[in-house]
Amino acid sequence: MRFGILGQTRAWHDDGIEVPLGGPVRRALLALLLVRPGAVVSADRLAEEIDPGGTPSAHALQSQVSRLRTALGAAAAIERAGAGYRIALPDQEAVDACRFERLAAEGRAALADGDTARAATLLCEGLGLWRGPALDGIAEGESVRAAAVRLEELRLAALEDRYEAALLLGEHRASVPELRELVRRHPLRERLAGLLIRALSAEGGQAEALLVYEETRRRLAEELGADPSAELGALHRELLEVRPDRSPVAPPAPLTSFVGRDGDVAGIAAVLRVARLVTLTGPGGVGKTRLASEVAGGLADETCFVALAPLRDGADLPQALLAALGLRETGLGLQGNGARTAYDRLVTALDDRVLLLVLDNCEHVVDAAAALAARLLAACPRLRVLATSREPLGVIGEHLWPVGPLDEEEAVRLFTDRAAAVRRAPAPDPALVRRICAAVDGLPLAVELTAARLRTLDADELAERLDARLDSRLALTARGSRTAEERHRTLRSVVAWGWDLLSEEERRAARRFAVFAGGATAEAAARVCGTDPETLESLDDKSFLRRSDDGPGRGRYGMLETIRAYAAERLTAEGGAEPAERAHADWLLGLLRSAAPHLLSGAQLGWLPVLSAEYDNLLAAVRRAVAAREPVTALELLAAAATALWIGGRAGAVAPLAAGLLELIDTGDGAAGPPAGLGEEYAVCVLLAASGSAAGPLWQRHRAAAARELAATWSGDRAGRYPVALLLWMMRNAGEQAAPADLRAAFALVSAQHDGPDPWARAVARYVAAYGFLGDGDTAAGERSLDEAAEGFRALGDRWGTSLALDALAGLAGGRGDRARAIALTDEALALTEQLGALEDSADLLVNRGDLRAADDRAAAGADYARAAELAGAAGSADRLAAALRGQADLALAAGDTAAAERLYTEALERVDRHWIKALGNLVRTLAGLGRVAEARGDRTTARERYAEAARAAAGLGPAAPDVLRRLGIGAYSP
């Protein structure tokens, strides 16, 4: 039997069936006995504490003990011992509190020993036993109260240890929201404050970290008359010494040591000190990527490594850079500003950033890479670019660094190093090693592939086989393309030679692995390749696959592009491309469909990274389906991925693919529509295509057909497969300034789900209905509807929908002057957007909170605006950055610093988009601020001009314009 007191007192049989204990008196009795299993509790204390305030009765106690014995049966004996009772258990860890204490102690010990991963596992397991407050619902007797306080203190200490482990493991972002809440509940607990400060600082939030320190210091002084501890003071000094900066986006962590090329590393680093664009040129396999990684890793600057090999079209390059920088393309509200291109976001994100951008493998998209590098370098003066390519980019100011083969000594060192990794034996004869390295021309990839053969061959046998293949290698060279590099053609023959040494099963698996773009998990690789884990491990041993066991690609297999190109050739030549591509699409579709039920639930944070890792595989699979004119496969893949794409901010990147798919299924006779049975998938595809910057004609052509299909899918009590499409359909129609009839139809479609079968769709219906009430002037009904929506999303665990509803509720609360509630709602929404990694939305919420705080707490508002500016810059959002700058300008003006206010307002005005509806409110406030600055200088003419300009801009806000102008004090200028 198992017992629980970490929450309401409960008992379960070993099969999980709960024991009916009866009323609160019996639960209190059991709890008192379980606080210290096996210890005797006096009958007087038991009688007094199970009925505090009553008259202790030995007879009543005996009656309750008898009933409890009957309920528990033989699994747990309640024994009379002297003047009291005790519960006898075969194992004290049958009580969750005992098990928790043991796990917490072991976790703390592991943390002290430096075994952080084990500590995190133990602590999470222990904390997972808690179901609520300790001894919840038990009468407040003296010993119960003392036990509960002791357990809650242990729980809090274990939480601190768990977050200590999380920070040591690099999980700063995920820790911030929960640490914020813990600090709010325990404001005098210095260790928690220190953990939050460290997490914020690691994420670049020095401004907010300083605010947390200041609030903690003030509370300690006011409530305890004490100063911060030495540890917290040291953290504060460290914050003051460190410039707030963004976390680096580093190159992939190498799995092997770097051998040779010391002169190249030093020389390239020296050139980068004076040049802003350096391109490493040379054939495939010569080691350009690894050399670039080594150079970047040795520099003090922040680095962003962008792998271009998976791209198939230069048009995808800006999105690849956004992804590498960790930037979303849209906010969670999904009404992205179409006038802002991916390039605009990149410029905003990199404008003031000291960054080395590494563009790896540019040759197949060289024109697009050259154009984008030139534009970014011109717009971002502190940016430098290190490119690798088989040919120069051809940009003015480019410095070329040719990368050749390793010299003999370096090649021998590399071979010896890699040979030692695959075979524990005496080092091969140096003369043989030189002979082997010379046979492969000292090309690093060829050296590594050849060294991997020592796992099954002796060095002399290896040298003989290479010599035996010399004529065929030369023949391959002679037959190669005249435009190809000599060594590249030789490299191809080395890959072919290694290929021939594989078993047939290994060759088959390697051929089929070529269909993956961006690698694969071991499970996915085994399924698509039709093989077993042992074969994959063997390919890894032989360097045809590379397994990553750390970093973002942890637990995935990858294949070097040179090898992948060769494997793809063999796959096509042997007629296996079509079945392999079908297996790849089937596997991916299965994964996406498995994830679908979890993406709008509390499990979304676990599933979103899983699907994000397969983004390149999704693009490859959809492209292949479109190219093969298989619209059914392409529609199913895009629809199944759509929810993750929208939440992850990547819908715009697949818009061109969705548009191409619509062109494929377009009949051309004016009757746009889907293949049979795929109406909802078609509508989702239309919405994806509409998220691109050039989708106007396609949207207009397919809107009516998509509306029909959605209405048919979500009619009556029927529920579709993609409830997110309902929210997107409403937002798209509202943001498109659709015809009134189309807008009413969209509203009716979503509202019809108010009592429908899908809980997420029901929450969306309430969210959308709220705006109908607000439009009719019924604020109370609108707020009730938003409350219901928030509760519906929250019950499902969906952070996305909850944050949207909370943000709207905060706006209503702020509008009626309830700043405390507005701030609380914004705090909750902010915690959710941070968990989702939505920097742009977090910046938006921080500006809102700053505006709410500005009247009462300028320091806190300033910290919010500073953090918002930082996040907006990192997200590449010019409009959110403009809003943050406007907020800072408001504070400067309130403090009487008109010079700083004018500078900040002017900078905000330069960044704000005057044509985007969501930016209009900030534009009006910025123009009004410039008017007040002019007025403070005595320049009434300029002030009147700015006020009038603000009033004209406010006209775009519709019915809200007069109220906005009145609150800004310029209502007289209303047109």
Side-chain angles (χ1 to χ4, degrees), residues 529-545:
C529 297
T531 191
D532 51 55
E534 291 74 22
T535 300
L536 297 174
E537 291 170 9
S538 179
L539 286 169
D540 182 29
D541 289 340
K542 296 174 182 178
S543 297
F544 275 83
L545 291 180

Side-chain angles (χ1 to χ4, degrees), residues 839-877:
L839 300 185
E840 190 171 359
D841 300 270
S842 296
D844 205 15
L845 290 165
L846 282 164
V847 170
N848 293 346
R849 191 172 71 183
D851 290 344
L852 291 164
R853 288 172 159 178
D856 301 323
D857 190 342
R858 290 183 187 173
D864 280 343
Y865 293 139
R867 178 62 174 156
E870 189 177 344
L871 293 182
S877 175

Side-chain angles (χ1 to χ4, degrees), residues 355-376:
L355 178 80
L356 175 66
L357 185 63
V358 182
L359 301 178
D360 185 46
N361 286 326
C362 295
E363 53 273 354
H364 62 305
V365 289
V366 66
D367 291 337
L372 186 59
R375 292 180 70 189
L376 289 177

Side-chain angles (χ1 to χ4, degrees), residues 553-914:
R554 183 169 55 246
R556 293 177 70 83
Y557 283 107
M559 183 178 269
L560 288 172
E561 284 303 306
T562 303
I563 298 175
R564 183 168 172 249
Y566 184 87
E569 285 181 10
R570 302 311 311 155
L571 183 67
T572 301
E574 298 180 28
E578 186 174 342
E581 290 169 359
R582 167 50 55 191
H584 177 263
D586 289 344
W587 154 75
L588 183 57
L589 188 58
L591 175 68
L592 293 169
R593 286 176 171 169
S594 296
H598 307 288
L599 291 177
L600 298 174
S601 75
Q604 64 191 172
L605 291 187
W607 276 97
L608 286 170
V610 172
L611 299 188
S612 179
E614 308 302 345
Y615 176 69
D616 288 331
N617 279 312
L618 172 69
L619 297 183
V622 174
R623 283 194 185 102
R624 283 196 290 256
V626 172
R629 305 188 70 78
E630 296 179 359
V632 170
T633 299
L635 280 171
E636 289 177 335
L637 285 168
L638 277 180
T643 301
L645 290 170
W646 276 315
I647 297 178
R650 280 179 155 172
V654 301
L657 279 177
L661 178 54
L662 290 178
E663 294 287 359
L664 176 63
I665 64 178
D666 198 332
T667 60
D669 58 2
L678 294 176
E680 191 179 13
E681 284 80 359
Y682 162 75
V684 170
C685 183
V686 172
L687 284 165
L688 283 171
S691 63
S693 58
L698 275 172
W699 168 248
Q700 296 303 330
R701 174 168 174 73
H702 292 270
R703 183 208 300 247
R708 287 194 301 272
E709 297 299 338
L710 274 180
T713 303
W714 291 87
S715 61
D717 58 356
R718 294 176 55 196
R721 293 177 291 275
Y722 310 106
V724 172
L726 294 172
L727 176 60
L728 269 293
W729 186 255
M730 187 67 229
M731 286 184 167
R732 179 69 194 183
N733 278 278
E736 190 70 17
Q737 295 183 340
D742 291 332
L743 196 53
R744 286 194 299 272
F747 186 84
L749 170 64
V750 180
S751 299
Q753 300 307 311
H754 190 278
D755 298 310
D758 185 276
W760 200 85
R762 291 199 298 269
V764 167
R766 285 160 172 77
Y767 175 75
V768 170
Y771 289 95
F773 290 128
L774 294 175
D776 293 338
D778 191 344
T779 306
E783 187 161 15
R784 282 196 303 273
S785 192
L786 285 172
D787 273 325
E788 292 172 0
E791 188 52 42
F793 290 129
R794 194 185 283 115
L796 292 169
D798 172 37
R799 296 156 181 83
W800 176 30
T802 307
S803 68
L804 292 177
L806 291 173
D807 186 23
L809 283 167
L812 290 179
R816 65 170 179 267
D818 188 350
R819 287 203 297 270
R821 174 167 165 76
I823 290 172
L825 290 166
T826 302
D827 286 344
E828 189 178 352
L830 186 58
L832 300 176
T833 59
E834 286 179 339
Q835 289 177 36
L836 290 169
L839 300 185
E840 190 171 359
D841 300 270
S842 296
D844 205 15
L845 290 165
L846 282 164
V847 170
N848 293 346
R849 191 172 71 183
D851 290 344
L852 291 164
R853 288 172 159 178
D856 301 323
D857 190 342
R858 290 183 187 173
D864 280 343
Y865 293 139
R867 178 62 174 156
E870 189 177 344
L871 293 182
S877 175
D879 292 300
R880 266 62 174 201
L881 181 54
L885 293 170
R886 186 271 308 155
Q888 291 174 325
D890 288 346
L891 292 181
L893 185 59
D897 190 346
T898 54
E902 183 171 28
R903 174 178 56 79
L904 289 164
Y905 281 133
T906 301
E907 190 175 348
L909 192 61
E910 290 171 353
R911 295 176 181 276
V912 74
D913 186 346
R914 294 169 177 262

Side-chain angles (χ1 to χ4, degrees), residues 469-486 488-490 492-493 496 500 566 569-570:
R469 289 189 58 90
L470 180 60
D471 291 340
S472 60
R473 282 198 304 114
L474 292 174
L476 276 171
T477 298
R479 291 196 301 271
S481 166
R482 285 193 169 88
T483 62
E485 293 267 0
E486 183 77 15
H488 184 215
R489 286 181 275 161
T490 304
R492 188 181 187 284
S493 69
D500 290 343
Y566 184 87
E569 285 181 10
R570 302 311 311 155

Side-chain angles (χ1 to χ4, degrees), residues 341-411:
T341 64
Y343 168 74
D344 295 324
R345 297 181 73 83
L346 287 169
V347 169
T348 301
L350 302 176
D351 183 28
D352 63 342
R353 203 162 170 179
V354 179
L355 178 80
L356 175 66
L357 185 63
V358 182
L359 301 178
D360 185 46
N361 286 326
C362 295
E363 53 273 354
H364 62 305
V365 289
V366 66
D367 291 337
L372 186 59
R375 292 180 70 189
L376 289 177
L377 287 168
C380 307
R382 305 174 78 184
L383 177 70
R384 290 179 295 164
V385 174
L386 176 61
T388 74
S389 179
R390 296 180 191 177
E391 61 178 292
L393 300 189
V395 175
I396 294 175
E398 178 182 26
H399 285 60
L400 299 180
W401 190 278
V403 181
L406 298 171
D407 63 33
E408 182 181 90
E409 198 58 39
E410 290 174 335

